Amino acid sequence: MAAPRNVTATRDEEKGEDDDSPSAKKPKLERFPLNTWEFAAAVAVFFVFSTGLFCIYLTMPPAAYTSLKLPRTLSDLRLLKENLSTYASNNPAQFILGYCSTYIFMQTFMIPGTIFMSLLAGALFGVVRGILLVVFNATAGASSCFFLSKLIGRPLVTWMWPEKLRFFQAEIAKRRDKLLNYMLFLRITPTLPNLFINLASPIVDVPFHIFFLATLVGLVPAAYITVRAGLALGDLKSIKDLYDFKTLSVLFLIGFVSIVPTLLKRKRVYE
């Protein structure tokens, strides 16, 4: 008489058969990170922003509207500057409204190309007004991205940057008492991408007032570099020329100054 099959072994075999299914083989990281409601919320916010932006563009004259194109290269940017110079001079308020809406929209939804918008601000408005525009829009867009991430960002960031998120969370936890200094350092220097900081900050419980203040102040040096480069747009050969070794050294020096209070406090604690 054949011995009865071991129930555990049978279950293991059945489990093994289940593991051969396509859904079981599919790694977690390949699955879309947002559930239905989170995806619907993201689409709704995107639709509201897009509708407002479209309504602003419809108020522009046909001559200016037909020449609009988001620049992807310096050649595109020079052409856009030539096409919009007259319109920006004749309709400054309307142009600034469209410019700000576009910049904030791109920053909120992580659309690449805001560096070209910063260069355009320098080319059309000069250093002072250009910096004010860029810092305002970058801060507003980052804040909008912060709240969007607070709503739906946790699964997305965990899916895209799991290791980087764990590192960021650990660093934030270690620096709670001097968090503003650390966030200023991150904003001033290219240690972490601004996109990641915008998305990950609400997930690791960075208070919004610290995030906002660090963004507002910390983006000024980079805005100055980019806006000033926009004044000599015709001489700029590559985006990489904006951040050469000398420029990066200055940014890290400024960033180091911002964390000096934290370093001094640690020294006193160890003493």
Side-chain angles (χ1 to χ4, degrees), residues 226-238:
T226 310
V227 168
R228 189 170 182 181
L231 294 175
L233 193 57
D235 299 329
L236 192 62
K237 297 179 181 178
S238 171

Side-chain angles (χ1 to χ4, degrees), residues 7-67:
V7 176
T8 306
T10 304
R11 288 177 179 173
D12 289 341
E13 289 175 8
E14 291 174 355
K15 186 177 179 181
E17 291 175 2
D18 291 340
D19 288 345
D20 290 336
S21 65
S23 59
K25 282 184 175 180
K26 189 175 182 181
K28 272 188 175 181
L29 290 181
E30 291 184 6
R31 296 175 183 170
F32 191 67
L34 302 181
N35 61 36
T36 304
W37 292 109
E38 290 168 339
F39 181 73
V43 171
V45 174
F46 184 85
F47 178 76
V48 170
F49 269 84
S50 301
T51 303
L53 196 59
F54 182 68
C55 291
I56 291 173
Y57 285 162
L58 286 180
T59 63
M60 301 176 69
Y65 179 76
T66 54
S67 63

Side-chain angles (χ1 to χ4, degrees), residues 84-92 95 124:
L84 292 179
S85 292
T86 303
Y87 176 74
S89 300
N90 296 336
N91 306 275
F95 175 81
L124 293 177

